[in-house]
Amino acid sequence: MGDQEPDYSSLPLLERFAHKVWKVRKEAYEEAAKLFEKAPDEQDPVYKPFLQDPGLWKGAVADSNVAAQQEGINAICCFLKYAGTPACTRTRREAVFPLVEKGLSSTRAATKASSLEALLLYVELDAPGPVIEEILPALSHKQPKIIAAALNALTALYHAYGTKTIDPKPVLKILPKVFAHADKNVRAEAQNLAVELYRWLREAMKPVFWGELKPVQQQDLEALFEKAKGEPAPKPERLLRSQQQAMAVASSDAAEDGEASGAAEAGAEEAAEVDTFDLVEPVDVISKMPGDFHDQVASTKWKDRKDTLDALFAVVNVPRIKESDFNEVVRALAKCMKDANIAVVTVAANCVEVLAKGTRSHFGRYRSTILSPMLERLKEKKQSVAVALGAAMDAVFASAGLSDCLEETLEFLKHKNPQVKQESLRFLVRCLSTTKHAPSKAEVKNIAEAATKLMTESTENLRSGGAEILGTVMKIMGERAMNPFMDGLDDIRRTKVKEWYEKAEVKAKDKPQPAAPPPAAAASKAAKGAAGKKVGEKKATVGAATSKKATPASSAVTDASSLLQPKPTARGMPSKIGAPPFKAAAASGSGPGLRLPKKLIGTASATASPMKAAAAAHAEDEATPIAAPRFGLGGRGLAGRPLGRPPSATSATTGGSETAGPSAAAMPSTLSIVERAELDELRAETDRLRRIVEEVRSERANLTSQVHELQNQNAQLIEDHTRDVLSIKAKETQLVRARSDAEAAQQMCQRQQREMERLKRELGRAVRAASPGPGSAADVSDQIYRDTGLNGISSAAGRPLTTMKRAPFSAHQFHTHPGEEKENGGPEPATYGVDLRAGLRMTSPSLSAGSGGGRNSPARSTSAGTRDVSAGSGAGPGQGSGAGVGVGVGHAAAPTTSSATAGDGGIETWKRAAEVTSQLKARIEQMKARQGLSKPS
């Protein structure tokens, strides 16, 4: 007893659903499935707990025990099957991904099959889009077996429902990713999915992902696609719940009307064709266009124009283009059609073609801008240009339609250039062959007149082309509709048109609108409706109709009564109370009864010439019988008898309700004159309105052309204005830069002025420092001055150097620094030497003085009692200028006396010093003159 398992059946079902013992969960799943099967309808209370808590199913389909998981998936299948759409919409988010992740990857075949069935039910009950969105994240799973299972599920979904029900675009986008997976099983499932999609989409799916596959994968898929091409067209194996309901309604209607169901099936088959345009996402090409496109297109070099058009072609050559404003681009391409270089024209035509194919009907608004330049350029005899222009025009026609392109095409059929005529003719034939809407009668008339004129040309190609146009139009409109245009042709031309009629292949078929039958049907309905009314009401109707012709309003009743007075007739009125006038019936050539003459009423009213308004008024005023019919009906038709009735017939009709039916049946013949008069008026009014409409259309076309011309002029003015604004901005920028440069130059001039002032001072100091004492010669003492306090030079004992003894100059020379003149842009400095050995003796240490930009360093003497004096100056533009004087005094180890050397040599030395000083002065003056300085006062 202790080993016996406890009984959990007393627990609530929802509690057992989440029990920790797997056997309890398994039994709960089985019990729930049985309850779902026994529920009478979708509103049964048994479904309510599971709808309120969808998380129960997440645990059921992802149960850790494989046996319990299998029963849990079976339970959710029963739940979806019997609970209906609410069960799908409320549990889809919780259960779909666990079904893919845990159910489809299970090791049990039954679990896999149940999981796939659950996914199919989720798609069937509501919409496939949310289910696909829940499956796609599994394709990024880290486990390859989960990805392969998800791909297998997608393949099964598309195989069951088809691409018409499930949108293939989200799956096509991820195909390159799974084809690049490292696991071979994933790649194999991707191949199966691609083949399944190819069964439905055919070649339309390739542009979406084909370019991202490896060449080897492309070859393998091509081989698989070839096998799929031989299979019959696939059909959905399952339908959505909404489609099933629609089909049930359609089948009930089809039982009543078989033709309608056949038309619906044909429409469904036609709609099954898939276009690549619907599978791809639109691309924004405006943002990817070259930035200098318009400048390069207007370049004077054909190579630049062609290169930028090639770049544009690479951008717009996509299956689908996002709608945007292409006015400027189309205008530029229209200008390129007039280019002298045929390579530019060819590339421009290719751009127009891909742009029109990528935008489809959106490109129709640019038709008036681009079509005429292309038709004009058809004069080019080179075949490659004609082919490119033809393809571009076909793309424009596909986006605009026959009615929009017809007027311009017919105008170019009258062009003086035979080449333009020939290519325009071929373009018109292609338009007629591919259009899906039959042309109107006015368009057929214009086409036929242009084609008839072409058949009188001297060139065989043009004559044959005219016949081909007529034959193609005849194929669309029918032989009967083209008979008025064939009457003026001879037998040879008719035969030629018939040949092209038999060869022509068209997509549009004219469905003639029953213009004549509706009036007859309306008349018969009016007659049937009037049969149950009183004759008095009939007379009032006739009086109201004839009052339009009568001038006084009060004469309406009189006219109506006079119109219905007894008149001679060729056929009597049948009546139930009086015998039919068989003699009159025999005279009219018809048997007793109204059935056969009633048929003739419609034909006579359609074929015989209707009475005009004046004739109707005349018939009302004069009660004389009609002598003879206008057309050859021999008195047997409606025009051969008057419209009145014998008094007996009138009295009979007013006598009782029994005679109302036959007399009312005869009334349409009485009212037909008035109705035909009104019909003539309406037809005249219709013709007048049609003429007005044609005039308005032509005026609208003229105004449209004027608008386009004004738009082109406006665009040109905007372009010129933009160019002028850019030019003005460029000039303003240059002016600002020039002003800034002028200010910088002015500041530089001020700095140079200050530098030159400083140089004046430094030069003065340098001259004073290099000049001898006041006891020297006059020319030297005037220019050179002593500067004892220049730099605070002091002797070795700390006393300032204030005196200098004259002594003969030694071999050391008084010179300028060799690098300063060169650095400041001046000529190579000259070296002037002065022997200071005999003259100058001082007890102070080495001494140096400098200023400005000059570089001065004391020159140390190697002999006792010698001194080196150096002076340098330089100036150059932008570098500043400077002058420096260096004086060096060397201390000897043993002092020597200067009295031994003071003699006659001292005078010569001072003379030489004076010469050097004068030369230095001249040099300084030259430097001042070069810098534009004046002599200091």
Side-chain angles (χ1 to χ4, degrees):
M1 295 295 293
D3 296 334
Q4 187 177 3
E5 295 183 358
D7 186 13
Y8 296 103
S9 59
S10 60
L11 295 176
L13 181 61
L14 298 182
E15 186 176 346
R16 284 183 286 159
F17 248 72
H19 203 276
K20 62 181 180 180
V21 179
W22 69 269
K23 290 184 179 179
V24 178
R25 298 196 303 271
K26 180 175 178 295
E27 292 175 357
Y29 299 153
E30 293 174 351
E31 183 180 349
K34 293 178 182 178
L35 291 176
F36 296 152
E37 291 177 357
K38 294 179 181 179
D41 53 20
E42 297 178 359
Q43 286 75 29
D44 195 271
V46 72
Y47 301 119
K48 188 174 181 180
F50 299 96
L51 292 175
Q52 292 177 345
D53 188 9
L56 295 172
W57 295 114
K58 182 177 181 180
V61 299
D63 201 297
S64 58
N65 185 274
V66 292
Q69 181 190 18
Q70 181 176 346
E71 296 301 329
I73 295 176
N74 291 335
I76 197 173
C77 288
C78 293
F79 179 69
L80 293 173
K81 186 181 298 182
Y82 298 109
T85 303
C88 167
T89 56
R90 295 194 180 185
T91 63
R92 180 170 51 202
R93 187 179 296 274
E94 301 291 339
V96 170
F97 188 79
L99 282 171
V100 177
E101 186 179 21
K102 301 295 184 181
L104 293 177
S105 61
S106 176
T107 55
R108 293 193 172 192
T111 304
K112 291 182 180 180
S114 299
S115 301
L116 185 59
E117 178 63 23
L119 292 176
L120 292 172
L121 286 172
Y122 270 114
V123 172
E124 176 183 336
L125 290 174
D126 185 35
V131 180
I132 299 298
E133 291 178 1
E134 294 291 334
I135 296 176
L136 289 180
L139 298 179
S140 302
H141 204 278
K142 61 182 180 180
Q143 296 184 15
K145 68 175 184 178
I146 306 298
I147 302 176
L151 290 173
N152 187 16
L154 290 173
T155 305
L157 291 177
Y158 281 109
H159 184 79
Y161 294 100
T163 56
K164 187 66 178 177
T165 302
I166 304 177
D167 187 11
K169 288 191 288 186
V171 178
L172 288 173
K173 291 179 182 178
I174 54 93
L175 276 181
K177 178 182 176 181
V178 293
F179 267 105
H181 200 276
D183 190 79
K184 62 179 182 180
N185 295 327
V186 174
R187 296 197 300 271
E189 290 295 339
Q191 273 191 350
N192 296 336
L193 177 58
V195 172
E196 181 61 35
L197 291 174
Y198 185 81
R199 291 178 63 242
W200 298 91
L201 303 176
R202 297 299 179 183
E203 298 296 325
M205 64 180 282
K206 284 188 176 182
V208 182
F209 73 101
W210 195 254
E212 302 180 31
L213 302 182
K214 297 179 180 179
V216 177
Q217 293 174 337
Q218 292 179 358
Q219 293 177 2
D220 295 342
L221 286 178
E222 284 290 355
L224 296 174
F225 290 166
E226 287 296 329
K227 295 179 182 178
K229 287 180 181 179
E231 300 177 2
K235 294 182 179 180
E237 297 178 356
R238 302 178 65 153
L239 297 175
L240 301 181
R241 188 66 58 87
S242 58
Q243 292 176 342
Q244 295 173 8
Q245 296 172 357
M247 182 170 288
V249 175
S251 61
S252 61
D253 295 340
E256 299 176 359
D257 189 1
E259 296 180 359
S261 62
E265 292 176 1
E269 292 179 0
E270 182 179 358
E273 299 180 0
V274 182
D275 190 3
T276 307
F277 189 81
D278 301 327
L279 298 178
V280 296
E281 295 295 330
V283 180
D284 185 10
V285 299
I286 291 293
S287 59
K288 299 181 181 180
M289 286 178 54
D292 57 346
F293 171 74
H294 296 286
D295 295 335
Q296 292 295 324
V297 167
S299 176
T300 56
K301 298 180 180 179
W302 73 270
K303 187 66 175 175
D304 294 342
R305 299 195 298 271
K306 182 179 181 299
D307 290 343
T308 190
L309 289 175
D310 287 333
L312 176 65
F313 179 79
V315 171
V316 300
N317 189 18
V318 292
R320 188 172 182 179
I321 298 175
K322 184 179 180 180
E323 293 185 3
S324 184
D325 186 10
F326 295 100
N327 277 314
E328 298 297 331
V329 178
V330 174
R331 287 196 189 100
L333 294 174
K335 290 181 181 178
C336 291
M337 295 301 165
K338 303 176 182 179
D339 202 289
N341 190 282
I342 59 174
V344 176
V345 177
T346 304
V347 180
N350 295 335
C351 292
V352 172
E353 179 186 1
V354 296
L355 195 60
K357 289 181 177 179
T359 53
R360 295 287 176 93
S361 58
H362 178 69
F363 193 80
R365 66 183 69 178
Y366 311 115
R367 184 261 318 157
S368 58
T369 304
I370 195 65
L371 185 58
S372 294
M374 289 194 296
L375 287 168
E376 184 68 34
R377 190 64 193 206
L378 289 173
K379 62 186 178 182
E380 190 65 45
K381 295 183 179 180
K382 193 165 185 179
Q383 189 64 22
S384 59
V385 180
V387 171
L389 290 172
M393 290 189 300
D394 291 343
V396 173
F397 162 74
S399 64
L402 178 63
S403 299
D404 295 332
C405 300
L406 184 60
E407 183 178 356
E408 293 175 86
T409 308
L410 294 178
E411 287 297 324
F412 278 90
L413 288 179
K414 306 173 185 177
H415 202 274
K416 60 183 179 180
N417 192 321
Q419 181 72 15
V420 176
K421 280 186 181 180
Q422 180 69 25
E423 295 299 331
S424 302
L425 185 151
R426 293 176 180 174
F427 172 60
L428 179 58
V429 171
R430 292 196 301 270
C431 293
L432 293 172
S433 300
T434 56
T435 184
K436 295 181 180 180
H437 303 283
S440 63
K441 292 184 178 180
E443 293 171 347
V444 170
K445 181 180 179 181
N446 295 333
I447 295 172
E449 290 176 355
T452 305
K453 187 175 181 181
L454 286 174
M455 294 183 71
T456 61
E457 293 283 345
S458 59
T459 308
E460 172 59 25
N461 292 335
L462 296 178
R463 293 198 301 270
S464 178
E468 185 177 2
I469 292 175
L470 285 176
T472 307
V473 176
M474 184 182 293
K475 193 78 171 182
I476 297 174
M477 306 301 296
E479 297 185 45
R480 184 176 179 182
M482 296 299 293
N483 283 336
F485 309 107
M486 299 288 289
D487 292 339
L489 303 179
D490 55 20
D491 295 338
I492 298 176
R493 291 171 180 166
R494 286 186 181 181
T495 304
K496 193 69 174 177
V497 172
K498 289 288 185 179
E499 291 177 358
W500 284 111
Y501 165 73
E502 295 174 357
K503 295 179 182 178
E505 296 180 1
V506 296
K507 295 182 179 180
K509 289 291 184 180
D510 181 45
K511 297 178 181 179
Q513 299 178 354
S524 62
K525 287 182 180 180
K528 291 178 182 178
K533 296 181 180 180
K534 295 181 180 180
V535 179
E537 296 176 356
K538 206 72 167 178
K539 291 182 180 180
T541 305
V542 174
T546 55
S547 63
K548 297 180 181 180
K549 298 297 180 181
T551 303
S554 61
S555 63
V557 180
T558 307
D559 293 339
S561 59
S562 64
L563 183 64
L564 296 177
Q565 289 299 320
K567 299 175 184 178
T569 179
R571 185 178 60 183
M573 292 290 181
S575 176
K576 287 186 178 180
I577 59 176
F582 291 102
K583 185 180 293 184
S588 63
S590 61
L594 293 175
R595 294 299 177 186
L596 185 59
K598 198 168 185 179
K599 290 184 179 181
L600 295 177
I601 290 174
T603 58
S605 62
T607 57
S609 175
M611 300 292 290
K612 304 297 180 182
H618 183 71
E620 293 174 1
D621 296 337
E622 297 181 4
T624 58
I626 301 175
R630 296 181 61 184
F631 292 90
L633 296 179
R636 293 177 294 173
L638 294 177
R641 62 181 179 82
L643 300 176
R645 289 182 299 182
S648 60
T650 306
S651 62
T653 56
T654 58
S657 61
E658 295 181 358
T659 61
S663 61
M667 284 299 292
S669 63
T670 304
L671 300 177
S672 61
I673 295 296
V674 179
E675 292 177 353
R676 281 202 294 268
E678 292 181 358
L679 182 60
D680 290 336
E681 291 180 0
L682 292 175
R683 284 177 177 172
E685 185 70 16
T686 302
D687 294 337
R688 187 179 65 82
L689 291 176
R690 284 178 180 174
R691 288 193 298 271
I692 294 174
V693 168
E694 293 296 333
E695 292 176 358
V696 170
R697 284 181 179 176
S698 61
E699 185 178 358
R700 179 186 177 186
N702 294 333
L703 292 176
T704 303
S705 62
Q706 293 177 7
V707 168
H708 288 307
E709 291 178 0
L710 292 176
Q711 288 177 350
N712 294 334
Q713 294 176 4
N714 187 26
Q716 186 65 33
L717 291 175
I718 292 174
E719 184 178 356
D720 295 341
H721 175 68
T722 305
R723 189 181 299 109
D724 294 340
V725 169
L726 293 177
S727 177
I728 291 171
K729 289 184 178 180
K731 296 296 184 183
E732 289 178 353
T733 304
Q734 293 177 3
L735 183 58
V736 170
R737 290 179 180 175
R739 286 176 179 172
S740 62
D741 293 342
E743 292 176 358
Q746 187 176 3
Q747 294 176 2
M748 183 179 293
C749 290
Q750 292 176 359
R751 289 197 301 270
Q752 292 293 334
Q753 188 71 23
R754 291 193 297 269
E755 186 69 20
M756 287 161 57
E757 294 293 337
R758 189 181 63 81
L759 285 176
K760 288 179 184 181
R761 295 192 298 270
E762 295 297 335
L763 286 172
R765 292 175 185 175
V767 170
R768 289 194 298 271
S771 64
S776 62
D779 55 348
V780 177
S781 61
D782 291 339
Q783 301 296 332
I784 303 175
Y785 301 93
R786 184 184 302 273
D787 190 1
T788 57
L790 183 61
N791 290 317
I793 302 173
S794 62
S795 63
R799 297 186 301 274
L801 179 62
T802 57
T803 59
M804 296 178 65
K805 296 184 180 180
R806 294 187 179 92
F809 289 96
S810 64
H812 297 277
Q813 297 179 346
F814 182 77
H815 61 89
T816 60
H817 196 278
E820 293 184 359
E821 290 289 347
K822 185 175 180 181
E823 180 180 351
N824 294 318
E828 289 296 331
T831 302
Y832 307 99
V834 180
D835 190 6
L836 304 178
R837 186 176 300 168
L840 197 58
R841 209 181 273 270
M842 48 181 23
T843 59
S844 63
S846 300
L847 165 66
S848 66
S851 64
R855 294 175 299 174
N856 304 312
S857 61
R860 299 179 181 272
S861 176
T862 58
S863 62
T866 61
R867 215 172 29 166
D868 183 44
V869 181
S870 63
S873 64
Q879 300 175 353
S881 62
V885 178
V887 180
V889 180
H891 298 274
T896 60
T897 59
S898 61
S899 59
T901 60
D904 296 335
I907 299 173
E908 294 179 1
T909 302
W910 281 111
K911 288 182 179 180
R912 291 175 59 190
E915 292 177 359
V916 171
T917 303
S918 64
Q919 292 178 3
L920 181 59
K921 171 194 169 188
R923 179 71 173 173
I924 291 172
E925 292 297 333
Q926 291 179 1
M927 291 169 55
K928 290 181 178 181
R930 187 179 298 118
Q931 294 294 333
L933 301 176
S934 61
K935 181 177 179 182
S937 58

